[in-house]
Amino acid sequence: MTSKRAIADVFAWEALDSRGTPTVAAEITLAGGARGSVIVPSGASTGTHEASELRDGGTRYGGRGVAGAVVNANGELARAIIGLDASEQSRVDESLRQASGDDSLARLGANAVLALSVASAQAAAAADGQPLYAAAARPGTRPLLPLPMVNIISGGAHAGRSIDVQDFLVVPLTASSFAEAIEVAWNVRAATARVLEDGGHSVALIADEGGLGPVLPTNRAALEAVSRGIERAGYALGEDVGIAIDIAATQFYNPHRGDYRLAAEDRDISAAGLIKELQEWAASFPIVSMEDVLAEDDWEGWVLATEALSGIQLLGDDLFCTNKHRVGTGIQLGAANAVLVKPNQIGTLSDAREVVDLAHSAGLATVLSARSGETEDSWLSDLAVGWGTGQIKVGSTMRSERTSKWNRLLAIEARLGDGADYAGRGTLAANSGASARA
Ligand code: PGA
Ligand code: ZN
């Protein structure tokens, strides 16, 4: 007899993400009738070592169409998983990976592969009448609401490159629940908008992740604005609320010269110069987390940065690309002390989860992250709770593709009450230089 969890039907189609760019959507139906569906996200400041999305090229949608990936999802990939038990996630994911036959998943498309990986997980949870966070959790573990990192101001690839640093975020430090943390971040965003307006800056421009996109003269000016916003909202700077930045340094690294171009400030600086600059920012502003401080393959520089910026969470995004081999290298070398986890960087949920577990086993913090091109889905929130990642980053407090994630977490917390824990600030990696070493 066929199990009610056996994958019976796969149906994929082309949808649009929050930037209006085509993306893969899929629905999986199990033999017992349960369904799971998904629309996958897509990044703009992507790392070289990410799994590869398949895009059509040609003239449709400016070459960004995903009709080919959809054909693969409905064809080769569907055939690889029809009949498998959807609750056996690693088996489903392994079959998807084998069907593509390449580590980067370029042949059939990482976008097609991720769609089926997530839809299968959703369908399996539905078959058991469970929310996804419960289905994703290890038996016996309590649901953990993550500490949110919330975008306030954007620059770089997410806001027309008006400033070099890609994201300026806040981390509520003293909030005692997830809901309270979101309220704090909302207050800071509103107050920062008023600070910018008072300074004569336009706050009408909203960046890709829902943050403010003012045209500012320097990166420091953005740090200044967020700091004043925190104070204006009535919080103690650095005590109640800390600042996180995603430098996304690969984006302004010049591989020919081996240095970094701060275009907004018309300066070229070396890796050592950039680390020194970051140290100065850390001395002037209450920065608790820095992401992608150097280029994606500058392991040596990253080790130096991890030592030089002690006391701060140093988060690897493009550096690790949610790849266990790269995270393993980081652990060995002592490069970074936290891992940004984006399921679409690696292509399947099993692989992303393995990276979370590997990071935790080595004492590294994890931040589950959305992409700048997002969708109305909220499965990422369930994974943060079920996997116990500790932290999450999905953008600002507005735009539906962002609030869908916050809203899902608000719903889970409201529903579970004392049945769940809130991670709080204790989940931030406090770098002691050597702490990340195995
Ligand atoms: P991306 O940006 O989704 O455009 O890659 C997010 C990030 O860099 O963290
Ligand atoms: Zn990043």
PDB file of all heavy atoms in Angstrom, residues 11 45 65 67 83 87 101 125 131 151 194 197 202-203 246 260 275 281 289 303 309 338 349 359 403 407 426 433:
ATOM      1  N   PHE A  11       3.964  19.960  -9.381  1.00  0.00           N
ATOM      2  CA  PHE A  11       3.532  20.933 -10.380  1.00  0.00           C
ATOM      3  C   PHE A  11       4.271  22.247 -10.133  1.00  0.00           C
ATOM      4  O   PHE A  11       4.129  22.855  -9.078  1.00  0.00           O
ATOM      5  CB  PHE A  11       2.019  21.155 -10.302  1.00  0.00           C
ATOM      6  CG  PHE A  11       1.520  22.098 -11.364  1.00  0.00           C
ATOM      7  CD1 PHE A  11       1.469  21.687 -12.689  1.00  0.00           C
ATOM      8  CD2 PHE A  11       1.142  23.388 -11.049  1.00  0.00           C
ATOM      9  CE1 PHE A  11       1.039  22.566 -13.685  1.00  0.00           C
ATOM     10  CE2 PHE A  11       0.713  24.275 -12.038  1.00  0.00           C
ATOM     11  CZ  PHE A  11       0.658  23.852 -13.362  1.00  0.00           C
ATOM     12  N   SER A  45      23.017  40.504  -4.294  1.00  0.00           N
ATOM     13  CA  SER A  45      24.458  40.537  -4.037  1.00  0.00           C
ATOM     14  C   SER A  45      24.891  39.107  -3.733  1.00  0.00           C
ATOM     15  O   SER A  45      25.197  38.733  -2.622  1.00  0.00           O
ATOM     16  CB  SER A  45      24.806  41.521  -2.910  1.00  0.00           C
ATOM     17  OG  SER A  45      24.587  41.000  -1.648  1.00  0.00           O
ATOM     18  N   GLY A  65      13.890  35.126 -17.160  1.00  0.00           N
ATOM     19  CA  GLY A  65      12.829  34.121 -17.047  1.00  0.00           C
ATOM     20  C   GLY A  65      13.339  32.802 -16.484  1.00  0.00           C
ATOM     21  O   GLY A  65      14.542  32.512 -16.523  1.00  0.00           O
ATOM     22  N   ALA A  67      11.592  29.738 -17.257  1.00  0.00           N
ATOM     23  CA  ALA A  67      10.784  28.703 -17.919  1.00  0.00           C
ATOM     24  C   ALA A  67      11.543  27.377 -17.986  1.00  0.00           C
ATOM     25  O   ALA A  67      10.953  26.307 -17.799  1.00  0.00           O
ATOM     26  CB  ALA A  67      10.385  29.171 -19.319  1.00  0.00           C
ATOM     27  N   GLY A  83       6.968   9.202  -5.662  1.00  0.00           N
ATOM     28  CA  GLY A  83       6.963   7.913  -4.967  1.00  0.00           C
ATOM     29  C   GLY A  83       7.748   7.915  -3.671  1.00  0.00           C
ATOM     30  O   GLY A  83       7.547   7.060  -2.810  1.00  0.00           O
ATOM     31  N   SER A  87       8.324  12.824   4.056  1.00  0.00           N
ATOM     32  CA  SER A  87       8.838  13.108   5.403  1.00  0.00           C
ATOM     33  C   SER A  87      10.303  12.698   5.536  1.00  0.00           C
ATOM     34  O   SER A  87      10.968  13.037   6.503  1.00  0.00           O
ATOM     35  CB  SER A  87       7.988  12.421   6.473  1.00  0.00           C
ATOM     36  OG  SER A  87       8.039  11.036   6.293  1.00  0.00           O
ATOM     37  N   GLY A 101      23.064  16.263 -10.635  1.00  0.00           N
ATOM     38  CA  GLY A 101      24.358  15.656 -10.940  1.00  0.00           C
ATOM     39  C   GLY A 101      25.559  16.562 -10.816  1.00  0.00           C
ATOM     40  O   GLY A 101      26.666  16.179 -11.164  1.00  0.00           O
ATOM     41  N   ALA A 125       4.687  18.058   6.403  1.00  0.00           N
ATOM     42  CA  ALA A 125       4.142  18.630   7.645  1.00  0.00           C
ATOM     43  C   ALA A 125       2.617  18.627   7.581  1.00  0.00           C
ATOM     44  O   ALA A 125       1.937  18.240   8.550  1.00  0.00           O
ATOM     45  CB  ALA A 125       4.671  20.052   7.837  1.00  0.00           C
ATOM     46  N   PRO A 131       2.358  22.113  12.111  1.00  0.00           N
ATOM     47  CA  PRO A 131       2.979  23.292  11.512  1.00  0.00           C
ATOM     48  C   PRO A 131       4.415  22.936  11.099  1.00  0.00           C
ATOM     49  O   PRO A 131       5.017  22.030  11.688  1.00  0.00           O
ATOM     50  CB  PRO A 131       2.973  24.323  12.636  1.00  0.00           C
ATOM     51  CG  PRO A 131       2.710  23.573  13.893  1.00  0.00           C
ATOM     52  CD  PRO A 131       2.089  22.255  13.531  1.00  0.00           C
ATOM     53  N   ASN A 151      16.380  45.549   9.289  1.00  0.00           N
ATOM     54  CA  ASN A 151      16.956  46.548   8.390  1.00  0.00           C
ATOM     55  C   ASN A 151      16.322  47.930   8.605  1.00  0.00           C
ATOM     56  O   ASN A 151      15.108  48.071   8.669  1.00  0.00           O
ATOM     57  CB  ASN A 151      16.719  46.079   6.944  1.00  0.00           C
ATOM     58  CG  ASN A 151      17.281  47.029   5.920  1.00  0.00           C
ATOM     59  OD1 ASN A 151      16.823  48.154   5.802  1.00  0.00           O
ATOM     60  ND2 ASN A 151      18.281  46.592   5.186  1.00  0.00           N
ATOM     61  N   ARG A 194      12.557  60.169  10.879  1.00  0.00           N
ATOM     62  CA  ARG A 194      12.401  61.577  11.302  1.00  0.00           C
ATOM     63  C   ARG A 194      13.755  62.272  11.381  1.00  0.00           C
ATOM     64  O   ARG A 194      13.913  63.423  10.974  1.00  0.00           O
ATOM     65  CB  ARG A 194      11.671  61.652  12.652  1.00  0.00           C
ATOM     66  CG  ARG A 194      10.186  61.255  12.552  1.00  0.00           C
ATOM     67  CD  ARG A 194       9.367  61.807  13.712  1.00  0.00           C
ATOM     68  NE  ARG A 194       9.822  61.345  15.018  1.00  0.00           N
ATOM     69  CZ  ARG A 194       9.449  60.172  15.570  1.00  0.00           C
ATOM     70  NH1 ARG A 194       8.619  59.366  14.937  1.00  0.00           N
ATOM     71  NH2 ARG A 194       9.905  59.828  16.755  1.00  0.00           N
ATOM     72  N   GLU A 197      14.780  63.041   7.842  1.00  0.00           N
ATOM     73  CA  GLU A 197      13.968  64.144   7.305  1.00  0.00           C
ATOM     74  C   GLU A 197      14.457  65.475   7.854  1.00  0.00           C
ATOM     75  O   GLU A 197      14.590  66.450   7.116  1.00  0.00           O
ATOM     76  CB  GLU A 197      12.502  63.945   7.684  1.00  0.00           C
ATOM     77  CG  GLU A 197      11.711  63.270   6.591  1.00  0.00           C
ATOM     78  CD  GLU A 197      10.226  63.182   6.909  1.00  0.00           C
ATOM     79  OE1 GLU A 197       9.899  62.971   8.102  1.00  0.00           O
ATOM     80  OE2 GLU A 197       9.423  63.325   5.977  1.00  0.00           O
ATOM     81  N   SER A 202      15.579  62.648   1.771  1.00  0.00           N
ATOM     82  CA  SER A 202      14.293  62.075   1.377  1.00  0.00           C
ATOM     83  C   SER A 202      14.119  60.704   2.028  1.00  0.00           C
ATOM     84  O   SER A 202      15.041  59.883   2.026  1.00  0.00           O
ATOM     85  CB  SER A 202      14.238  61.926  -0.140  1.00  0.00           C
ATOM     86  OG  SER A 202      13.145  61.101  -0.478  1.00  0.00           O
ATOM     87  N   VAL A 203      12.942  60.483   2.589  1.00  0.00           N
ATOM     88  CA  VAL A 203      12.663  59.152   3.128  1.00  0.00           C
ATOM     89  C   VAL A 203      11.569  58.479   2.295  1.00  0.00           C
ATOM     90  O   VAL A 203      10.979  57.487   2.694  1.00  0.00           O
ATOM     91  CB  VAL A 203      12.276  59.194   4.627  1.00  0.00           C
ATOM     92  CG1 VAL A 203      13.462  59.643   5.459  1.00  0.00           C
ATOM     93  CG2 VAL A 203      11.080  60.104   4.868  1.00  0.00           C
ATOM     94  N   ASP A 246      25.784  44.947   7.377  1.00  0.00           N
ATOM     95  CA  ASP A 246      26.226  43.989   6.358  1.00  0.00           C
ATOM     96  C   ASP A 246      27.039  44.791   5.360  1.00  0.00           C
ATOM     97  O   ASP A 246      26.491  45.544   4.557  1.00  0.00           O
ATOM     98  CB  ASP A 246      25.023  43.309   5.687  1.00  0.00           C
ATOM     99  CG  ASP A 246      25.474  42.284   4.640  1.00  0.00           C
ATOM    100  OD1 ASP A 246      26.694  42.096   4.473  1.00  0.00           O
ATOM    101  OD2 ASP A 246      24.591  41.676   3.987  1.00  0.00           O
ATOM    102  N   TYR A 260      39.764  47.654  -1.856  1.00  0.00           N
ATOM    103  CA  TYR A 260      38.325  47.929  -1.750  1.00  0.00           C
ATOM    104  C   TYR A 260      38.043  49.374  -2.129  1.00  0.00           C
ATOM    105  O   TYR A 260      38.751  50.281  -1.684  1.00  0.00           O
ATOM    106  CB  TYR A 260      37.854  47.653  -0.307  1.00  0.00           C
ATOM    107  CG  TYR A 260      38.008  46.194   0.069  1.00  0.00           C
ATOM    108  CD1 TYR A 260      39.236  45.709   0.533  1.00  0.00           C
ATOM    109  CD2 TYR A 260      36.961  45.308  -0.072  1.00  0.00           C
ATOM    110  CE1 TYR A 260      39.396  44.368   0.856  1.00  0.00           C
ATOM    111  CE2 TYR A 260      37.110  43.958   0.245  1.00  0.00           C
ATOM    112  CZ  TYR A 260      38.332  43.497   0.709  1.00  0.00           C
ATOM    113  OH  TYR A 260      38.481  42.177   1.015  1.00  0.00           O
ATOM    114  N   ILE A 275      39.734  46.916   7.664  1.00  0.00           N
ATOM    115  CA  ILE A 275      39.597  46.417   9.044  1.00  0.00           C
ATOM    116  C   ILE A 275      39.775  47.578  10.030  1.00  0.00           C
ATOM    117  O   ILE A 275      39.032  47.703  11.004  1.00  0.00           O
ATOM    118  CB  ILE A 275      40.624  45.287   9.332  1.00  0.00           C
ATOM    119  CG1 ILE A 275      40.304  44.049   8.489  1.00  0.00           C
ATOM    120  CG2 ILE A 275      40.650  44.934  10.823  1.00  0.00           C
ATOM    121  CD1 ILE A 275      41.358  42.950   8.540  1.00  0.00           C
ATOM    122  N   TRP A 281      34.743  52.447  13.345  1.00  0.00           N
ATOM    123  CA  TRP A 281      33.278  52.492  13.441  1.00  0.00           C
ATOM    124  C   TRP A 281      32.828  51.831  14.739  1.00  0.00           C
ATOM    125  O   TRP A 281      31.933  52.330  15.428  1.00  0.00           O
ATOM    126  CB  TRP A 281      32.618  51.781  12.261  1.00  0.00           C
ATOM    127  CG  TRP A 281      32.832  52.432  10.919  1.00  0.00           C
ATOM    128  CD1 TRP A 281      33.464  53.615  10.683  1.00  0.00           C
ATOM    129  CD2 TRP A 281      32.429  51.925   9.647  1.00  0.00           C
ATOM    130  NE1 TRP A 281      33.480  53.888   9.336  1.00  0.00           N
ATOM    131  CE2 TRP A 281      32.845  52.873   8.675  1.00  0.00           C
ATOM    132  CE3 TRP A 281      31.765  50.792   9.213  1.00  0.00           C
ATOM    133  CZ2 TRP A 281      32.608  52.694   7.304  1.00  0.00           C
ATOM    134  CZ3 TRP A 281      31.515  50.613   7.844  1.00  0.00           C
ATOM    135  CH2 TRP A 281      31.945  51.556   6.914  1.00  0.00           C
ATOM    136  N   SER A 289      27.197  43.332  15.466  1.00  0.00           N
ATOM    137  CA  SER A 289      27.379  42.294  14.441  1.00  0.00           C
ATOM    138  C   SER A 289      27.826  42.928  13.130  1.00  0.00           C
ATOM    139  O   SER A 289      27.313  43.968  12.729  1.00  0.00           O
ATOM    140  CB  SER A 289      26.044  41.558  14.230  1.00  0.00           C
ATOM    141  OG  SER A 289      26.167  40.574  13.224  1.00  0.00           O
ATOM    142  N   VAL A 303      40.626  36.028   8.956  1.00  0.00           N
ATOM    143  CA  VAL A 303      41.220  35.586  10.229  1.00  0.00           C
ATOM    144  C   VAL A 303      41.723  36.811  11.003  1.00  0.00           C
ATOM    145  O   VAL A 303      41.468  36.951  12.209  1.00  0.00           O
ATOM    146  CB  VAL A 303      42.372  34.582   9.971  1.00  0.00           C
ATOM    147  CG1 VAL A 303      43.109  34.267  11.266  1.00  0.00           C
ATOM    148  CG2 VAL A 303      41.828  33.297   9.348  1.00  0.00           C
ATOM    149  N   LEU A 309      38.570  42.450  15.545  1.00  0.00           N
ATOM    150  CA  LEU A 309      37.267  43.009  15.914  1.00  0.00           C
ATOM    151  C   LEU A 309      36.648  42.202  17.057  1.00  0.00           C
ATOM    152  O   LEU A 309      35.483  41.806  17.001  1.00  0.00           O
ATOM    153  CB  LEU A 309      36.349  43.035  14.695  1.00  0.00           C
ATOM    154  CG  LEU A 309      36.821  44.004  13.598  1.00  0.00           C
ATOM    155  CD1 LEU A 309      36.256  43.642  12.238  1.00  0.00           C
ATOM    156  CD2 LEU A 309      36.453  45.449  13.958  1.00  0.00           C
ATOM    157  N   ALA A 338      30.245  33.441  13.199  1.00  0.00           N
ATOM    158  CA  ALA A 338      28.817  33.226  12.984  1.00  0.00           C
ATOM    159  C   ALA A 338      28.573  32.971  11.492  1.00  0.00           C
ATOM    160  O   ALA A 338      29.321  33.458  10.640  1.00  0.00           O
ATOM    161  CB  ALA A 338      28.015  34.445  13.441  1.00  0.00           C
ATOM    162  N   LEU A 349      16.957  21.972   1.747  1.00  0.00           N
ATOM    163  CA  LEU A 349      16.789  22.191   3.188  1.00  0.00           C
ATOM    164  C   LEU A 349      17.731  21.313   3.998  1.00  0.00           C
ATOM    165  O   LEU A 349      18.257  21.734   5.025  1.00  0.00           O
ATOM    166  CB  LEU A 349      15.332  21.932   3.603  1.00  0.00           C
ATOM    167  CG  LEU A 349      14.304  22.933   3.068  1.00  0.00           C
ATOM    168  CD1 LEU A 349      12.945  22.691   3.707  1.00  0.00           C
ATOM    169  CD2 LEU A 349      14.752  24.373   3.305  1.00  0.00           C
ATOM    170  N   ALA A 359      27.671  24.481  12.397  1.00  0.00           N
ATOM    171  CA  ALA A 359      28.055  25.748  13.028  1.00  0.00           C
ATOM    172  C   ALA A 359      27.853  25.649  14.547  1.00  0.00           C
ATOM    173  O   ALA A 359      28.752  25.981  15.320  1.00  0.00           O
ATOM    174  CB  ALA A 359      27.231  26.896  12.450  1.00  0.00           C
ATOM    175  N   THR A 403       7.127  41.457   6.009  1.00  0.00           N
ATOM    176  CA  THR A 403       6.222  41.281   7.148  1.00  0.00           C
ATOM    177  C   THR A 403       5.618  39.872   7.170  1.00  0.00           C
ATOM    178  O   THR A 403       5.230  39.394   8.233  1.00  0.00           O
ATOM    179  CB  THR A 403       5.109  42.346   7.138  1.00  0.00           C
ATOM    180  OG1 THR A 403       4.458  42.334   5.878  1.00  0.00           O
ATOM    181  CG2 THR A 403       5.676  43.727   7.401  1.00  0.00           C
ATOM    182  N   ASN A 407       5.315  38.327  10.597  1.00  0.00           N
ATOM    183  CA  ASN A 407       3.951  37.961  11.018  1.00  0.00           C
ATOM    184  C   ASN A 407       3.843  36.489  11.388  1.00  0.00           C
ATOM    185  O   ASN A 407       3.117  36.128  12.321  1.00  0.00           O
ATOM    186  CB  ASN A 407       2.946  38.310   9.921  1.00  0.00           C
ATOM    187  CG  ASN A 407       2.706  39.810   9.838  1.00  0.00           C
ATOM    188  OD1 ASN A 407       3.028  40.540  10.780  1.00  0.00           O
ATOM    189  ND2 ASN A 407       2.163  40.278   8.730  1.00  0.00           N
ATOM    190  N   GLY A 426      21.493  36.688  24.012  1.00  0.00           N
ATOM    191  CA  GLY A 426      22.488  35.664  24.346  1.00  0.00           C
ATOM    192  C   GLY A 426      22.911  34.834  23.144  1.00  0.00           C
ATOM    193  O   GLY A 426      23.924  34.141  23.182  1.00  0.00           O
ATOM    194  N   GLY A 433      38.061  36.282  19.704  1.00  0.00           N
ATOM    195  CA  GLY A 433      39.222  36.064  18.857  1.00  0.00           C
ATOM    196  C   GLY A 433      39.462  34.593  18.603  1.00  0.00           C
ATOM    197  O   GLY A 433      39.344  34.122  17.483  1.00  0.00           O
TER     198      GLY A 433
END
